[in-house]
Amino acid sequence: MIEKADTGLPESDPLVAGLNTWTRQDELQMWKNVGVIGLGFMFLFTAFQNMAALQSSLNPSAGIGVYTLAIIYATIILSCFFLPTIFIKTLKVKLSLVVCQAMYTLYIAAQFYPKWGTLIPSSILLGLAAAPMWSAKCTYLSQMGTYVAKVKGTTSEVLINRFFGIFFCMFQTWGIWGNIVTATVLAPKEDWHVPTDDELAKCGANYRVPPPKDSGDDEEGVPKHQVYMLAGIYLVFAIIGPTIIFFFLDPLSKYGEDERKEQKGKSGLQLLLATFSHFAKNKYQMLIMPLTIWSGLEQGWLGASFTAAYITCPIGVHNIGYIIIVYASTDAICSFLFGWILKRIGRIPVFTMAAIFNMGVMLVLLHWTPTVAHKGYLYLFAVLWGMGDAVWQTQINAFYGVIFPGQEEPAFPIYRLWESLGFLAAYLIGNNTELSLFMWILVAWLAVSFVGYLVIELLEYRRTGHFSIYLCNGGKTVTVEQDQ
């Protein structure tokens, strides 16, 4: 047990009143809730992410598959402005998670009949649900971490970082389970032929989205029975996710949800306007914005352009599952390990490593197209990209929880807005240009983003005399002056 600390919480609070203690059972329930959220998202995104990664291969005609992904993220951008706060204030955090995850299932179900009339409406509904869902997840973990830290008299940043690290470690395994399914269902056809030199010349950096098919070409590509099997399996996964959260997640009211809301008393629009005003005044937030967009760009490029141009085109759609399993496994392991590594060597070496890996992979792929004989190199690139993504996902995510303490509802929609803008740009640019041009744009954007990050480090060095700024890690907090 931990003796009473000066928590700053209302005396009526259930964990402050009475014994004023934190028991082992409370500790287990806290970690159980982190695990339940991670498990629920893992099941849901095993369905969504894997089906999304296959859109450029399953529904390539006129780019319909990728355009639906663009619609999803365009809708997310719009929903970031109002819906997260409305959902969370109306339904509270737990029910917001359940309802929003349930809305994802419609997109998976639409894969049984993938036409404009089914994919567009389901994409819009999914986009409307995404921002409130992710905001609710971030709000739950950040609020629980802040609350428990106050009760235990410890630092909230360390606990929040551990929550996000464990969550993303579980979440990123979507690529393992989903691609086991993908690799099994999309087993290579006996009549699959090795591409000719002329066909390979249209792959890799020279790849362009194919033009619309004639009506008589519907049976080309992935056989319908395989599409239906994938959609059926992933629909089951998508339903399991919100079901787990509904039955096993404790309400956030256990961790001070009601007290937190009573203190704010602002409308969703007021909170959003206040957040944008704070963003415009804060140099750190403005400088981290390009890197937040980059996290969406790099994920969108991997899920649509890379899978179509470097896997499906030269070595066959049946290889997507195996390669993405390697990527997702690396991402999951590194999401867990990097919190420990950052605590010991600092963030600069790790962020630099991630930028070098991403930059190096793109520069190599700009001048190389895989063949069946050399497809092993794609697994190496998947490992390097997974390591980079683990850095961006865990540390940028946690950063927003620190610089917006007590303002999770407006803060995380801002994060999701910038990231979704990156996804949207990735799908639209990748669907309408030759891939080489898109990749040079990515190289330039990553360079700009990393410079912005280094400026943050430099400003902190000038302020403190040493590089000590950590993003929710190792007990060292980010100090952000509100009117810099």
Side-chain angles (χ1 to χ4, degrees):
M1 293 184 178
I2 297 176
E3 295 182 359
K4 180 179 178 181
D6 182 13
T7 66
L9 297 170
E11 288 297 325
S12 60
D13 191 281
L15 286 181
V16 178
L19 295 177
N20 296 290
T21 58
W22 180 259
T23 67
R24 178 172 176 78
Q25 182 179 0
D26 294 324
E27 189 82 6
L28 292 175
Q29 287 180 333
M30 176 188 74
W31 292 115
K32 181 266 294 182
N33 288 325
V34 175
V36 167
I37 292 177
L39 197 62
F41 273 73
M42 181 273 288
F43 272 101
L44 179 68
F45 279 81
T46 293
F48 170 66
Q49 291 283 58
N50 284 283
M51 191 59 76
L54 291 169
Q55 287 303 300
S56 59
S57 300
L58 296 182
N59 301 308
S61 180
I64 179 175
V66 177
Y67 275 126
T68 59
L69 297 177
I71 290 171
I72 287 174
Y73 288 98
T75 310
I76 290 175
I77 292 173
L78 296 176
S79 72
C80 284
F81 286 100
F82 301 104
L83 291 184
T85 300
I86 293 174
F87 266 78
I88 292 172
K89 284 186 174 294
T90 304
L91 301 178
K92 294 193 174 182
V93 171
K94 176 181 176 178
L95 194 55
S96 294
L97 284 170
V98 174
V99 171
C100 291
Q101 287 204 358
M103 293 170 68
Y104 270 66
T105 61
L106 298 175
Y107 180 76
I108 309 301
Q111 303 302 319
F112 286 101
Y113 190 71
K115 304 295 182 182
W116 291 101
T118 56
L119 290 176
I120 298 298
S122 61
S123 298
I124 292 173
L125 289 174
L126 190 155
L128 293 175
M133 180 191 69
W134 282 101
S135 297
K137 182 272 297 181
C138 293
T139 297
Y140 194 104
L141 295 180
S142 296
Q143 172 65 19
M144 182 169 65
T146 300
Y147 181 92
V148 172
K150 287 182 179 180
V151 172
K152 297 172 67 174
T154 60
T155 305
S156 63
E157 286 82 359
V158 177
L159 198 56
I160 293 173
N161 189 51
R162 292 178 68 187
F163 287 169
F164 277 106
I166 292 172
F167 167 81
F168 277 105
C169 181
M170 299 179 68
F171 170 76
Q172 295 293 3
T173 62
W174 64 260
I176 301 174
W177 321 123
N179 283 288
I180 289 175
V181 173
T182 298
T184 302
V185 174
L186 299 180
K189 298 182 293 183
E190 293 183 0
D191 60 347
W192 186 82
H193 72 284
V194 177
T196 64
D197 290 342
D198 289 339
E199 290 171 332
L200 283 176
K202 298 179 181 179
C203 300
N206 297 322
Y207 179 82
R208 292 188 71 102
V209 172
K213 292 181 180 180
D214 296 330
S215 59
D217 293 337
D218 291 341
E219 296 304 317
E220 293 184 0
V222 181
K224 291 295 184 183
H225 74 276
Q226 290 183 330
V227 176
Y228 295 153
M229 185 176 295
L230 281 174
I233 295 172
Y234 287 147
L235 183 59
V236 172
F237 272 82
I239 293 172
I240 291 175
T243 302
I244 290 174
I245 291 177
F246 179 79
F247 284 106
F248 298 105
L249 183 68
D250 292 333
L252 189 57
S253 56
K254 180 182 178 69
Y255 302 102
E257 179 180 27
D258 295 332
E259 287 78 7
R260 178 178 56 83
K261 286 187 175 183
E262 290 169 1
Q263 293 171 2
K264 289 186 175 65
K266 293 183 179 179
S267 68
L269 179 59
Q270 289 173 322
L271 285 170
L272 187 69
L273 292 176
T275 299
F276 272 111
S277 175
H278 179 71
F279 172 85
K281 295 178 181 179
N282 191 287
K283 286 187 285 192
Y284 285 176
Q285 294 183 62
M286 296 178 71
L287 290 167
I288 203 67
M289 181 265 290
L291 199 58
T292 310
I293 295 176
W294 165 254
S295 71
L297 282 169
E298 57 96 2
Q299 292 178 79
W301 173 81
L302 180 85
S305 299
F306 176 76
T307 54
Y310 289 94
I311 305 179
T312 300
C313 183
I315 63 175
V317 67
H318 53 277
N319 284 291
I320 290 179
Y322 300 112
I323 294 171
I324 300 300
I325 284 174
V326 173
Y327 159 80
S329 300
T330 304
D331 207 331
I333 294 171
C334 290
S335 293
F336 181 78
L337 291 179
F338 280 153
W340 180 84
I341 295 173
L342 278 165
K343 185 176 181 180
R344 284 154 180 80
I345 69 173
R347 192 179 66 254
I348 294 178
V350 175
F351 269 48
T352 301
M353 175 205 69
I356 290 174
F357 285 171
N358 284 167
M359 188 77 73
V361 168
M362 286 187 292
L363 290 176
V364 170
L365 291 179
L366 275 165
H367 301 91
W368 178 79
T369 300
T371 62
V372 174
H374 299 95
K375 68 179 182 180
Y377 290 110
L378 289 175
Y379 291 93
L380 173 60
F381 296 146
V383 169
L384 297 176
W385 205 264
M387 294 176 70
D389 184 70
V391 174
W392 310 134
Q393 294 305 304
T394 57
Q395 294 306 305
I396 299 175
N397 225 305
F399 179 69
Y400 280 77
V402 174
I403 62 175
F404 284 103
Q407 299 182 37
E408 292 86 359
E409 287 98 329
F412 288 110
I414 295 297
Y415 169 85
R416 191 57 50 187
L417 186 152
W418 298 132
E419 186 183 49
S420 298
L421 185 61
F423 272 106
L424 177 61
Y427 294 137
L428 291 179
I429 297 174
N431 223 32
N432 292 281
T433 65
E434 187 173 281
L435 188 55
S436 60
L437 174 60
F438 179 30
M439 292 176 67
W440 281 117
I441 293 174
L442 291 178
V443 168
W445 189 268
L446 176 56
V448 171
S449 301
F450 193 69
V451 169
Y453 156 71
L454 290 179
V455 171
I456 294 178
E457 295 285 7
L458 179 61
L459 290 173
E460 186 65 12
Y461 176 77
R462 293 174 61 181
R463 189 184 68 84
T464 65
H466 54 85
F467 292 109
S468 63
I469 180 171
Y470 283 75
L471 303 188
C472 298
N473 188 74
K476 298 181 180 180
T477 64
V478 176
T479 302
V480 180
E481 299 296 334
Q482 298 298 313
D483 297 309
Q484 295 188 69

